[in-house]
Amino acid sequence: MAVNKPFSLNSERLCRFYAKELNLYGGRIRVGNLDISACRRDIENYLGNLERVIRKQFEDRLTKAAKEKLLSSQELNWIKEDEHCCHWAWGFLKESTPSTIGLSVIDATRLNINMGSVFSDLVGTEIPSDKEQRFHQIVTFLDELPDGIEQARFVHSIIKKHWASEPSLGSKKDPLKWLEKENREQCNWAWDYINGSEIPCGAYNPLTSKDRFYCVKVAYSLWNVHPDRKTLFIQGFRRAWSQKKFREQQSSKDILNTYIDKEAKIKLKKMSAIRNVKMNELIEILINEEYERIRKTTM
């Protein structure tokens, strides 16, 4: 037989839920974007004024209500445990409209939800800067949906459905598979590049190179334009990175303008093929080898 967890105010999520439930019974619990400690104190004060038996009844009622009205942690773990998924799910919901979550125009009007900013209406306008903050806002969004847990489960299933069609990192279908999460220089450059492009990035605030890696992936994925336009963007994006690396490589080199005997060039070409290097690389190798030989004998 399942054992109910004892009543606790350790969870910020449960504190906010309990506050709203108690307010239905005439409580005046502060809730919203305030410091959760104020909400917790209000709940403790409210329950502390009840007789012991009545308090226990209220605690049991609140625990049962949370189980019935909130998605469980187990149902949400697949988002929490996958960093890429967590970034993507947040971006997906951030861009959602009432129709995305199954609300008609009439329902949205009835519930006073803006047709273009449903996420901000329910969660607020604060921009998260890491995975934990994004996950917190995802859960808050699902908890705050006006038509309760059935709507939360519906939206949850939509997130799963759309996420299933996303290419996994590094797979053949991943258009950004050349982007390396551990390459800090590349991730920082990619974020600067995409942030200065036509792709909307104002909703993201990544502070680390790893977060920038995921934000680049998500911003591109959720960019709602024709596939051909996205393909052209990727081609230019990758070309810009290749050109950057080429310029950096060339910055340490100098131009050598000289003439060489045709026969000598043929031999140089054959030697390059044998050593599997370019002719300019072979020239550098031969110069370094000869320099070392002379240095050891005369210097």
Side-chain angles (χ1 to χ4, degrees), residues 123-177:
V123 175
T125 57
E126 181 181 356
I127 299 177
S129 56
D130 58 30
K131 173 194 161 189
E132 287 69 29
Q133 291 178 12
R134 286 187 178 85
F135 181 71
H136 172 74
Q137 288 194 357
I138 291 169
V139 175
T140 299
F141 177 81
L142 294 171
D143 289 350
E144 294 293 329
L145 286 169
D147 286 339
I149 193 168
E150 292 306 316
Q151 189 178 37
R153 285 212 166 93
F154 174 73
V155 176
H156 180 257
S157 69
I158 290 176
I159 299 172
K160 262 193 172 181
K161 178 183 176 182
H162 283 273
W163 172 247
S165 64
E166 281 292 300
S168 55
L169 293 180
S171 66
K172 290 183 178 180
K173 293 183 178 181
D174 181 4
L176 288 167
K177 58 180 176 289

Coordinates of all heavy atoms in Angstrom, one line a residue, residues 123-177:
V123 N 4.0 32.9 -16.1 CA 5.3 32.7 -15.4 C 6.0 34.0 -15.0 O 6.7 34.1 -14.0 CB 6.2 31.9 -16.3 CG1 7.6 31.7 -15.6 CG2 5.6 30.5 -16.5
G124 N 5.8 35.1 -15.8 CA 6.5 36.3 -15.6 C 7.5 36.6 -16.7 O 7.6 35.8 -17.6
T125 N 8.1 37.7 -16.6 CA 9.0 38.1 -17.7 C 10.5 37.9 -17.4 O 11.4 38.2 -18.2 CB 8.8 39.6 -18.0 OG1 9.0 40.4 -16.8 CG2 7.4 39.8 -18.5
E126 N 10.8 37.4 -16.2 CA 12.2 37.1 -15.9 C 12.9 36.1 -16.8 O 12.3 35.1 -17.1 CB 12.3 36.6 -14.4 CG 13.8 36.4 -14.0 CD 13.9 35.9 -12.5 OE1 12.8 35.7 -11.9 OE2 15.0 35.5 -12.1
I127 N 14.0 36.4 -17.3 CA 14.7 35.5 -18.2 C 15.7 34.7 -17.5 O 16.6 35.2 -16.8 CB 15.5 36.3 -19.3 CG1 14.5 37.2 -20.1 CG2 16.3 35.4 -20.2 CD1 15.2 38.1 -21.1
P128 N 15.5 33.3 -17.5 CA 16.4 32.4 -16.8 C 17.8 32.4 -17.4 O 18.0 32.6 -18.6 CB 15.7 31.1 -16.9 CG 14.9 31.2 -18.1 CD 14.5 32.6 -18.2
S129 N 18.8 32.1 -16.6 CA 20.2 32.1 -17.1 C 20.8 30.7 -17.0 O 22.0 30.5 -17.4 CB 21.1 33.1 -16.4 OG 21.0 32.8 -15.0
D130 N 20.1 29.7 -16.5 CA 20.7 28.4 -16.4 C 19.6 27.3 -16.5 O 18.4 27.7 -16.5 CB 21.6 28.2 -15.2 CG 20.8 28.4 -13.9 OD1 19.6 28.2 -13.9 OD2 21.4 28.8 -12.9
K131 N 20.0 26.1 -16.5 CA 19.0 25.0 -16.7 C 18.0 24.9 -15.5 O 16.8 24.7 -15.7 CB 19.8 23.6 -16.7 CG 18.9 22.4 -16.7 CD 19.7 21.2 -16.5 CE 18.9 20.0 -16.0 NZ 19.6 18.9 -15.5
E132 N 18.5 25.1 -14.3 CA 17.6 25.0 -13.1 C 16.5 26.0 -13.1 O 15.4 25.7 -12.8 CB 18.5 25.1 -11.8 CG 19.3 24.0 -11.5 CD 20.5 23.8 -12.4 OE1 21.0 24.8 -13.0 OE2 20.9 22.6 -12.6
Q133 N 16.9 27.2 -13.5 CA 15.9 28.3 -13.6 C 14.8 28.0 -14.7 O 13.7 28.3 -14.6 CB 16.5 29.6 -13.8 CG 17.3 30.1 -12.6 CD 18.0 31.5 -12.9 OE1 17.8 32.1 -13.9 NE2 18.9 31.9 -12.0
R134 N 15.4 27.5 -15.8 CA 14.4 27.1 -16.9 C 13.5 26.0 -16.5 O 12.3 26.1 -16.8 CB 15.2 26.7 -18.2 CG 15.9 27.8 -18.9 CD 16.6 27.4 -20.2 NE 17.1 28.6 -20.8 CZ 18.4 29.0 -20.6 NH1 19.1 28.4 -19.7 NH2 18.8 30.1 -21.2
F135 N 14.0 25.0 -15.9 CA 13.1 23.9 -15.4 C 12.1 24.4 -14.4 O 10.9 24.0 -14.5 CB 13.9 22.8 -14.8 CG 13.1 21.6 -14.4 CD1 12.5 20.8 -15.3 CD2 12.8 21.4 -13.0 CE1 11.7 19.7 -14.9 CE2 12.1 20.3 -12.6 CZ 11.5 19.5 -13.6
H136 N 12.5 25.3 -13.5 CA 11.6 25.9 -12.6 C 10.4 26.6 -13.3 O 9.2 26.5 -12.9 CB 12.3 26.8 -11.7 CG 11.4 27.6 -10.7 ND1 10.8 27.1 -9.6 CD2 11.0 28.9 -10.8 CE1 10.1 28.0 -9.0 NE2 10.2 29.2 -9.7
Q137 N 10.7 27.4 -14.3 CA 9.7 28.1 -15.1 C 8.8 27.1 -15.9 O 7.6 27.4 -16.0 CB 10.3 29.1 -16.0 CG 10.9 30.3 -15.2 CD 11.2 31.5 -16.1 OE1 11.1 31.4 -17.4 NE2 11.7 32.6 -15.6
I138 N 9.4 26.1 -16.4 CA 8.5 25.1 -17.1 C 7.5 24.5 -16.2 O 6.3 24.4 -16.5 CB 9.4 23.9 -17.7 CG1 10.3 24.5 -18.8 CG2 8.6 22.8 -18.2 CD1 11.4 23.5 -19.2
V139 N 7.9 24.1 -15.0 CA 7.0 23.5 -14.0 C 6.0 24.5 -13.5 O 4.8 24.2 -13.4 CB 7.8 23.0 -12.8 CG1 6.9 22.5 -11.7 CG2 8.8 21.8 -13.2
T140 N 6.4 25.8 -13.3 CA 5.5 26.8 -12.9 C 4.4 27.0 -14.0 O 3.2 27.2 -13.6 CB 6.3 28.1 -12.6 OG1 7.2 27.9 -11.6 CG2 5.3 29.2 -12.2
F141 N 4.8 27.0 -15.2 CA 3.9 27.2 -16.3 C 2.8 26.1 -16.3 O 1.6 26.4 -16.4 CB 4.7 27.2 -17.6 CG 3.8 27.3 -18.9 CD1 3.3 28.5 -19.3 CD2 3.4 26.2 -19.6 CE1 2.5 28.6 -20.4 CE2 2.6 26.3 -20.7 CZ 2.2 27.5 -21.1
L142 N 3.3 24.9 -16.2 CA 2.3 23.7 -16.2 C 1.4 23.8 -15.0 O 0.2 23.5 -15.1 CB 3.1 22.4 -16.2 CG 3.9 22.1 -17.5 CD1 4.8 20.9 -17.3 CD2 2.9 21.9 -18.7
D143 N 2.0 24.2 -13.8 CA 1.1 24.3 -12.6 C 0.1 25.4 -12.7 O -0.9 25.4 -12.1 CB 2.0 24.6 -11.4 CG 2.9 23.3 -11.0 OD1 2.6 22.2 -11.5 OD2 3.8 23.5 -10.2
E144 N 0.5 26.5 -13.4 CA -0.4 27.7 -13.5 C -1.4 27.7 -14.6 O -2.2 28.6 -14.7 CB 0.5 29.0 -13.6 CG 1.4 29.3 -12.4 CD 0.6 29.6 -11.2 OE1 -0.5 30.2 -11.3 OE2 1.1 29.3 -10.1
L145 N -1.4 26.6 -15.4 CA -2.4 26.6 -16.5 C -3.8 26.6 -15.9 O -4.1 25.9 -14.9 CB -2.2 25.3 -17.3 CG -1.0 25.3 -18.2 CD1 -0.8 23.9 -18.8 CD2 -1.2 26.3 -19.4
P146 N -4.7 27.5 -16.5 CA -5.9 27.8 -15.8 C -6.9 26.7 -15.7 O -7.8 26.7 -14.8 CB -6.5 29.0 -16.7 CG -5.8 28.8 -18.0 CD -4.4 28.3 -17.7
D147 N -6.9 25.7 -16.6 CA -7.8 24.6 -16.5 C -7.3 23.3 -15.8 O -7.8 22.2 -16.1 CB -8.3 24.3 -17.9 CG -9.3 25.4 -18.4 OD1 -9.8 26.1 -17.6 OD2 -9.5 25.5 -19.7
G148 N -6.3 23.5 -15.0 CA -5.9 22.4 -14.2 C -5.0 21.3 -14.8 O -4.4 21.4 -15.8
I149 N -5.0 20.1 -14.1 CA -4.0 19.1 -14.4 C -4.3 18.4 -15.8 O -3.4 18.0 -16.4 CB -4.0 18.0 -13.3 CG1 -2.8 17.1 -13.5 CG2 -5.3 17.2 -13.3 CD1 -2.5 16.2 -12.3
E150 N -5.6 18.4 -16.2 CA -5.9 17.8 -17.5 C -5.2 18.6 -18.6 O -4.7 18.1 -19.6 CB -7.4 17.7 -17.7 CG -8.0 16.7 -16.8 CD -7.4 15.3 -16.9 OE1 -7.1 14.8 -18.0 OE2 -7.2 14.7 -15.9
Q151 N -5.3 19.9 -18.5 CA -4.7 20.8 -19.4 C -3.1 20.7 -19.3 O -2.4 20.7 -20.3 CB -5.1 22.2 -19.2 CG -4.6 23.2 -20.3 CD -5.1 24.6 -20.1 OE1 -5.1 25.1 -19.0 NE2 -5.5 25.3 -21.2
A152 N -2.6 20.6 -18.1 CA -1.2 20.4 -17.9 C -0.7 19.1 -18.6 O 0.3 19.1 -19.2 CB -0.9 20.3 -16.4
R153 N -1.5 18.0 -18.4 CA -1.1 16.8 -19.1 C -1.2 16.9 -20.6 O -0.3 16.3 -21.3 CB -2.0 15.6 -18.6 CG -1.7 15.2 -17.2 CD -2.0 13.7 -17.0 NE -1.3 13.2 -15.8 CZ -1.9 13.2 -14.6 NH1 -3.2 13.5 -14.5 NH2 -1.3 12.8 -13.5
F154 N -2.1 17.7 -21.1 CA -2.3 17.9 -22.5 C -1.0 18.6 -23.1 O -0.4 18.2 -24.1 CB -3.5 18.6 -22.9 CG -3.7 19.0 -24.3 CD1 -4.0 18.1 -25.2 CD2 -3.5 20.3 -24.7 CE1 -4.1 18.4 -26.6 CE2 -3.7 20.7 -26.0 CZ -4.0 19.7 -27.0
V155 N -0.7 19.7 -22.4 CA 0.5 20.5 -22.8 C 1.8 19.6 -22.7 O 2.7 19.6 -23.6 CB 0.6 21.8 -22.0 CG1 1.9 22.5 -22.4 CG2 -0.6 22.6 -22.2
H156 N 1.8 18.9 -21.6 CA 3.0 18.0 -21.4 C 3.1 17.0 -22.5 O 4.2 16.7 -23.0 CB 2.8 17.2 -20.1 CG 3.8 16.3 -19.7 ND1 3.7 14.9 -19.8 CD2 5.1 16.5 -19.2 CE1 4.8 14.3 -19.4 NE2 5.6 15.2 -19.0
S157 N 2.0 16.5 -23.0 CA 2.1 15.5 -24.2 C 2.5 16.2 -25.4 O 3.2 15.6 -26.3 CB 0.7 14.8 -24.3 OG -0.3 15.8 -24.8
I158 N 2.1 17.5 -25.6 CA 2.5 18.2 -26.8 C 4.0 18.5 -26.8 O 4.7 18.3 -27.8 CB 1.7 19.6 -26.8 CG1 0.3 19.4 -27.1 CG2 2.4 20.5 -27.9 CD1 -0.6 20.6 -27.1
I159 N 4.5 18.8 -25.6 CA 6.0 19.0 -25.5 C 6.7 17.7 -25.9 O 7.7 17.7 -26.7 CB 6.4 19.4 -24.0 CG1 5.7 20.7 -23.6 CG2 7.9 19.5 -23.9 CD1 5.9 21.1 -22.2
K160 N 6.2 16.6 -25.4 CA 6.8 15.3 -25.7 C 6.8 15.0 -27.2 O 7.8 14.5 -27.8 CB 6.1 14.2 -24.9 CG 6.9 13.8 -23.6 CD 6.3 12.5 -23.1 CE 7.2 12.0 -21.9 NZ 6.7 10.7 -21.4
K161 N 5.6 15.3 -27.8 CA 5.4 15.0 -29.2 C 6.4 15.8 -30.0 O 7.1 15.2 -30.9 CB 4.0 15.3 -29.6 CG 3.7 15.1 -31.0 CD 2.3 15.5 -31.4 CE 2.0 15.4 -32.9 NZ 0.6 15.8 -33.2
H162 N 6.5 17.1 -29.8 CA 7.4 17.9 -30.6 C 8.9 17.6 -30.3 O 9.7 17.6 -31.2 CB 7.1 19.4 -30.3 CG 5.9 19.9 -31.0 ND1 5.9 20.4 -32.2 CD2 4.6 20.0 -30.5 CE1 4.7 20.7 -32.6 NE2 3.9 20.5 -31.6
W163 N 9.2 17.3 -29.0 CA 10.6 17.0 -28.7 C 11.0 15.7 -29.4 O 12.2 15.5 -29.8 CB 10.8 16.8 -27.2 CG 12.1 16.3 -26.8 CD1 12.4 15.1 -26.2 CD2 13.4 17.0 -26.9 NE1 13.7 15.0 -26.0 CE2 14.4 16.1 -26.4 CE3 13.7 18.2 -27.5 CZ2 15.7 16.5 -26.4 CZ3 15.1 18.5 -27.5 CH2 16.0 17.7 -26.9
A164 N 10.1 14.7 -29.6 CA 10.5 13.5 -30.2 C 10.9 13.7 -31.7 O 11.7 12.8 -32.2 CB 9.2 12.5 -30.2
S165 N 10.5 14.8 -32.3 CA 10.9 15.0 -33.7 C 12.2 15.8 -33.8 O 12.7 16.0 -34.9 CB 9.8 15.8 -34.4 OG 9.6 17.1 -33.9
E166 N 12.8 16.2 -32.6 CA 14.0 16.9 -32.6 C 15.2 16.0 -32.9 O 15.3 14.9 -32.3 CB 14.2 17.6 -31.3 CG 13.5 18.9 -31.2 CD 14.0 20.0 -32.1 OE1 15.1 20.4 -32.0 OE2 13.2 20.5 -32.9
P167 N 16.1 16.3 -33.8 CA 17.3 15.4 -34.0 C 18.2 15.4 -32.7 O 18.4 16.4 -32.1 CB 18.0 16.0 -35.2 CG 17.6 17.5 -35.2 CD 16.2 17.5 -34.6
S168 N 18.7 14.2 -32.4 CA 19.6 14.1 -31.2 C 20.9 14.8 -31.5 O 21.3 14.9 -32.7 CB 19.8 12.7 -30.8 OG 20.3 11.9 -31.9
L169 N 21.6 15.2 -30.5 CA 22.8 16.0 -30.6 C 23.9 15.1 -31.4 O 24.1 14.0 -31.0 CB 23.4 16.4 -29.3 CG 22.6 17.4 -28.5 CD1 23.3 17.7 -27.1 CD2 22.4 18.7 -29.2
G170 N 24.5 15.7 -32.4 CA 25.5 15.0 -33.1 C 25.1 14.0 -34.1 O 25.9 13.4 -34.8
S171 N 23.8 13.8 -34.3 CA 23.3 12.8 -35.2 C 23.4 13.3 -36.6 O 23.6 14.5 -36.9 CB 21.8 12.4 -34.9 OG 21.0 13.6 -35.1
K172 N 23.2 12.5 -37.6 CA 23.3 12.9 -39.0 C 22.3 14.0 -39.4 O 22.5 14.8 -40.2 CB 23.1 11.7 -39.9 CG 24.2 10.7 -39.9 CD 24.0 9.6 -40.9 CE 25.2 8.6 -40.9 NZ 25.0 7.5 -41.9
K173 N 21.1 13.9 -38.7 CA 20.1 14.9 -39.0 C 20.3 16.2 -38.2 O 19.5 17.2 -38.4 CB 18.7 14.3 -38.6 CG 18.3 13.1 -39.5 CD 16.9 12.7 -39.1 CE 16.4 11.5 -40.0 NZ 15.1 11.0 -39.7
D174 N 21.3 16.3 -37.4 CA 21.5 17.5 -36.6 C 22.2 18.5 -37.5 O 23.4 18.3 -37.8 CB 22.4 17.2 -35.4 CG 22.7 18.4 -34.5 OD1 22.1 19.5 -34.8 OD2 23.4 18.3 -33.5
P175 N 21.6 19.6 -37.9 CA 22.2 20.6 -38.7 C 23.4 21.3 -38.1 O 24.2 22.0 -38.8 CB 21.1 21.6 -39.1 CG 20.2 21.5 -37.9 CD 20.2 20.0 -37.5
L176 N 23.5 21.2 -36.8 CA 24.6 21.9 -36.1 C 25.6 20.9 -35.4 O 26.2 21.2 -34.4 CB 24.0 22.8 -35.0 CG 23.4 24.1 -35.5 CD1 22.6 24.8 -34.4 CD2 24.4 25.1 -36.1
K177 N 25.7 19.7 -36.0 CA 26.5 18.7 -35.4 C 28.0 19.0 -35.4 O 28.8 18.5 -34.6 CB 26.3 17.3 -36.2 CG 26.6 17.3 -37.6 CD 26.4 15.9 -38.2 CE 26.6 15.9 -39.7 NZ 25.6 16.6 -40.4

